[in-house]
Structure formats: C-alpha cells, structure tokens
Amino acid sequence: MQLIDNFNFAGKKAIVRVDFNVPLNKETGEVSDDTRIRGALPTIKKIIADGGSAILMSHMGRPKQNPDPKFSLKQIISAIEKNLGQSIQFCDDCMKADEQAAALKPGEVLLLENLRFYEEEEGKPRGEFASDEEKKAAKNALKEKQKDFAKKLASYADVYVNDAFGTAHRAHGSTAVIADYFDEPNKMFGFLINNELKAMDKVLNEAQKPFTAIMGGAKVSDKIMIIENLLDRVDNLIIGGGMTYTFIKAQGGQIGNSLCEEDKLDLALEVLKKAEAKGVKVFLPTDAVNADKFDKDANTNTSKTNETPEGWMGLDIADETIKTFSDVISNSKTVLWNGPMGVFEFDKFAKGTSAVAQAVAKATQENGAFTLIGGGDSVAAINKNKLADKVSYVSTGGGAMLEYMEGKVLPGIKAIRGK
Ligand code: AMP
C-alpha cells in the first residue's frame, strides 16, 4: 500500500476526497465549525509543499437536485482559503472540470462543486418509483453510471488521495469506486485517515490493560454490535445514557418513564451473560438524576436506577455512579468512549457526561492511558468541556468509526488497503 509520507507529489495532480461537510451558520451562511477543514490541511499542505497541485472534492449535506445553492461548496471557499493561507479556484460542476484541472500549476488548489449534486456519487436513484422492482432496476442502471462518474473524476488527476474518514463507510463514487481507476502506487490515504486508522487499530489490537470501553447514548440497538465486538477485548464495560434502562428493566428494575427498548430486553441479558462468561466487568449506573418531563427546565430528583419513581425518567447518572465510573476510567490504560452518559444537551443533565470527560482526560494525563473518543455526541461533549487536547485522539468520523470498531470492512478503506 502506498503511504502518503513517502510519496513525492512534485509535478503531479492529486485528486483528494476530503470531508468538507461542515455546518453553516443559518443567518450569516458562514462556516460555524471548521474542524473538518482543519483536519484536511496536513494532506493538502504536503501536496502543495512537494510541488504538486490539489483537486479537492467533497459532499455537503443531502442535496436532491443539481444545482442546489443551499448546498453549494462555494459557501466555504473563504473558510478554506483562510485556513490554507492561499486563494483557491472553484469549478461549479464537478463533471466539467477538465480544462481547469489541466491548467492547474504546481502549488495551486481547485475545489470541485458538491459531488452529491449528482446521484451517481451515492449511487442512490432519486425520484419516485412505482414498484420495488422499478427502483431496483434504476439502482442497477445507476451503478453503471457511477463507474463513469468516478472515471471522469479520476481523469482529472495522476494520483488519488482519500482523506474523508467521515464517509469511509460508504461505497460512493468518490470514496471507493474511483480507486479502481488508479494503480496501486498512485492511490493512498491522507494523513487524517492514517491517523484515524492508527488510533482505532491501537485500541482494537494493541490495547494496554486495563482496557475500559464506555458506551453511552440513546439506544442499545445502535451500540450492540460494537459492544459485542469489544467483549473479547475489554476488561471493563461501562454502560450509561438512555441505554442503561433497557439493561435495568431486563434485570427486573423499576424504570418509570425512562427510555427503554422493550424488544431488546433479552438481548441486554444476553450481553450481560456473555460479558460474565468472558470475565468482563460490567458497570451499570446505580443512581440517576430523574426528570418529570423531557425538558431542559424539568423538575428533578435522584433515585437508584432500579427504583425510578413512577412518572419520572432518568436523564443523567448521579453522584455514586459518577464516582464509580470515574475511578474505573482514571485507573485504565486504554479507554474507548462512545456516547454521552445523559441528556448533556440540557445543562441540568450534563454533569455525568462532563465528569466522564474529566476522568478520560485524567486517565490520559496522569495514568498515561491511550484514550480514543468517537461518535458525534461524545466528541461534542469533549469539546464542550474543552478537553479535546487532553485526550489521545478524537475521531472525526461518527458512523465510520462505529462501523470500524464493530469489526466491519469499510468500503473506502478497502478500496485502498484491500481489506
Ligand atoms: P447516540 O447518538 O446514540 O450516541 O445518542 C446520543 C443521544 O442520547 C444524546 O442526544 C442524548 O441526549 C441521548 N441520551 C443520553 N442519555 C439519555 C437518557 N438517559 N435518556 C434519553 N436520552 C438520552
């Protein structure tokens, strides 16, 4: 596999799949969080510094037509220029960039318009279909057109670099199919994907013990596969968030109006049994902060998690649990954290998630632990607590990270690495 570190881009044109799916301020239209742009800078700067030129391609949002000004990447040109420290060119149709790409000089950067203006990118046919058969036929036809789409993009460049970890779990034109049009020495991951893979592989394959996985968030069903894949690896499994109550109810506890997936009760018991058989210690919250309604101004009380009063719902972990979880986390040598401990978007129910964020930072700083945080909401929680630089690695890809940690093959990774 070609490595970007060893590659010399001098005189080459590189087409780079970046993830510039950035949020825009609804009033000003400006980029409100440029984390993803900053994430791609090392790769772009290396190409330029070597004397190559970069053709950047990305999606933004979920446009349904071509063009769709609301989702135009034109809106982020100035944010890219500001971060890159140089001006860039723009092509307002990603299928019509031949001339601009051919004219690019060393050190220059060209941004292509939103790839998803074309349905070929995702390979998902748009519009209404009279029947499933018709939809299937349209999808098959589109698969063929997707190859042409990817081939066209490939034709602009000598080299393909994939640095969009956030879409690596999608088999899209620009993330996977395009790789077929470059030979092995001329396709590679960018620095961002390399770093993501290094961090995840370290946790999956070289974890120092004790290894603690912290799983939070709303639903058991979203996290069950990752939990199952981790049971062979971890020493401690901490469960928090809304998921808690499916486990508590399965064990016969009173959960009031707390979130519960009734059809996952057996599954929850199975997980606990499997964990026990594998010698994994499971930590479930023992006490909770409850609310009388799902609201930022709700009235609150605290109770044991298995004695939630009728009419109340558990929305955060309480002090006893915070202490237990924090002790386990700060004594760990490897920590993986995915999903908040409570409804941290409401200040009244953010304490548990903040405490876990602090404990993860403490494990990193004071215990020399390797700590990986992934999944949109736990990343938001780490950022909210201003601890991003106090942990080992914060993943940029929610769904992609989750799937990789579940043990799945990601099409965007396989297209370059072969597995
Ligand atoms: P996920 O995307 O699965 O990681 O879930 C994150 C969401 O779970 C956040 O929006 C939280 O507000 C929500 N959440 C966390 N704890 C609870 C809880 N106890 N009850 C309901 N929702 C929760």
Side-chain angles (χ1 to χ4, degrees):
M1 188 181 79
Q2 182 61 263
L3 290 177
I4 187 168
D5 314 60
N6 309 332
F7 196 85
N8 186 352
F9 289 92
K12 307 236 184 227
K13 292 189 171 82
I15 188 150
V16 190
R17 179 45 157 112
V18 288
D19 180 3
F20 284 172
N21 183 27
V22 292
L24 301 177
N25 181 308
K26 283 200 182 74
E27 271 131 45
T28 64
E30 282 173 10
V31 174
S32 56
D33 179 350
D34 65 358
T35 310
R36 288 183 170 149
I37 295 175
R38 284 187 283 114
L41 291 180
T43 295
I44 304 169
K45 285 189 169 164
K46 150 90 174 154
I47 295 167
I48 297 169
D50 278 359
S53 50
I55 301 158
L56 309 179
M57 56 176 175
S58 178
H59 76 285
M60 183 157 86
R62 296 185 182 279
K64 294 277 175 280
Q65 59 190 37
N66 182 16
D68 190 341
K70 215 169 99 205
F71 296 108
S72 173
L73 286 175
K74 221 181 237 174
Q75 302 170 94
I76 71 166
I77 293 175
S78 62
I80 300 171
E81 289 181 332
K82 195 169 131 223
N83 275 290
L84 204 54
Q86 69 177 66
S87 59
I88 65 169
Q89 301 170 34
F90 184 71
C91 177
D92 60 15
D93 186 331
C94 69
M95 286 290 100
K96 294 184 183 148
D98 310 71
E99 282 176 24
Q100 276 177 281
L104 271 185
K105 294 194 201 65
E108 291 184 338
V109 176
L110 168 67
L111 172 68
L112 304 184
E113 181 57 288
N114 197 339
L115 297 164
R116 287 195 190 166
F117 283 2
Y118 286 86
E119 60 181 356
E120 285 87 342
E121 165 63 355
E122 291 179 278
K124 247 195 265 163
R126 289 174 189 159
E128 301 293 318
F129 297 95
S131 65
D132 283 353
E133 279 80 56
E134 211 176 276
K135 190 171 180 184
K136 212 166 153 196
K139 198 167 177 188
N140 285 338
L142 190 54
K143 279 275 163 230
E144 286 309 307
K145 282 168 76 186
Q146 190 180 49
K147 288 181 192 156
D148 297 336
F149 175 81
K151 194 173 174 185
K152 178 79 182 180
L153 292 171
S155 72
Y156 301 148
D158 309 300
V159 186
Y160 169 59
V161 182
N162 187 0
D163 213 15
F165 183 64
T167 46
H169 58 319
R170 307 281 183 222
H172 290 171
S174 68
T175 62
V177 184
I178 190 174
D180 289 343
Y181 300 99
F182 292 88
D183 54 10
E184 185 103 15
N186 290 316
K187 54 184 164 189
M188 68 204 83
F189 298 128
F191 290 113
L192 179 70
I193 287 200
N194 274 343
N195 289 338
E196 295 275 354
L197 290 174
K198 242 186 259 169
M200 293 186 302
D201 286 338
K202 192 165 171 159
V203 165
L204 282 178
N205 306 323
E206 301 159 32
Q208 276 196 53
K209 300 199 152 238
F211 175 6
T212 300
I214 312 162
M215 292 291 130
K219 290 189 186 158
V220 182
S221 44
D222 290 342
K223 305 289 159 82
I224 192 68
M225 303 227 324
I226 185 169
I227 290 178
E228 296 214 326
N229 196 34
L230 290 171
L231 281 181
D232 283 323
R233 295 174 164 86
V234 299
D235 304 288
N236 305 309
L237 172 63
I238 288 179
I239 290 172
M243 262 203 296
T244 305
Y245 292 93
T246 303
F247 284 90
I248 300 290
K249 181 156 185 191
Q251 292 176 301
Q254 302 297 317
I255 63 164
N257 287 344
S258 305
L259 204 64
C260 180
E261 286 168 277
E262 295 288 342
D263 59 336
K264 295 289 174 307
L265 296 173
D266 290 342
L267 189 65
L269 287 181
E270 242 174 70
V271 167
L272 295 177
K273 231 197 254 165
K274 266 193 208 162
E276 196 183 354
K278 290 177 191 287
V280 176
K281 273 195 216 140
V282 178
F283 295 86
L284 276 161
T286 50
D287 60 350
V289 179
N290 304 315
D292 59 353
K293 56 179 183 240
F294 192 87
D295 191 278
K296 69 176 177 23
D297 299 318
N299 294 309
T300 64
N301 65 24
T302 56
S303 73
K304 299 247 166 249
T305 34
N306 57 3
E307 291 172 9
T308 312
E310 267 314 307
W312 294 73
M313 61 183 88
L315 293 189
D316 195 11
I317 54 174
D319 291 348
E320 183 182 82
T321 306
I322 288 179
K323 166 120 193 28
T324 312
F325 285 9
S326 299
D327 285 350
V328 174
I329 295 164
S330 42
N331 286 315
S332 299
K333 281 285 184 197
T334 305
V335 178
L336 169 68
W337 179 23
N338 180 295
M341 295 292 103
V343 182
F344 76 108
E345 297 93 331
F346 301 159
D347 285 345
K348 278 188 178 180
F349 309 102
K351 189 177 165 191
T353 301
S354 290
V356 162
Q358 300 283 353
V360 175
K362 192 172 166 202
T364 325
Q365 299 298 317
E366 294 176 21
N367 204 34
F370 184 79
T371 52
L372 169 59
I373 288 85
D377 282 319
S378 22
V379 173
I382 276 282
N383 288 335
K384 194 173 162 196
N385 286 280
K386 301 200 171 19
L387 292 170
D389 57 348
K390 298 275 186 296
V391 297
S392 308
Y393 196 79
V394 179
S395 175
T396 58
M401 186 232 183
L402 209 57
E403 289 197 18
Y404 195 84
M405 300 307 279
E406 286 170 358
K408 286 194 185 140
V409 172
L410 310 190
I413 302 301
K414 187 171 178 222
I416 285 176
R417 197 172 65 175
K419 60 183 168 92

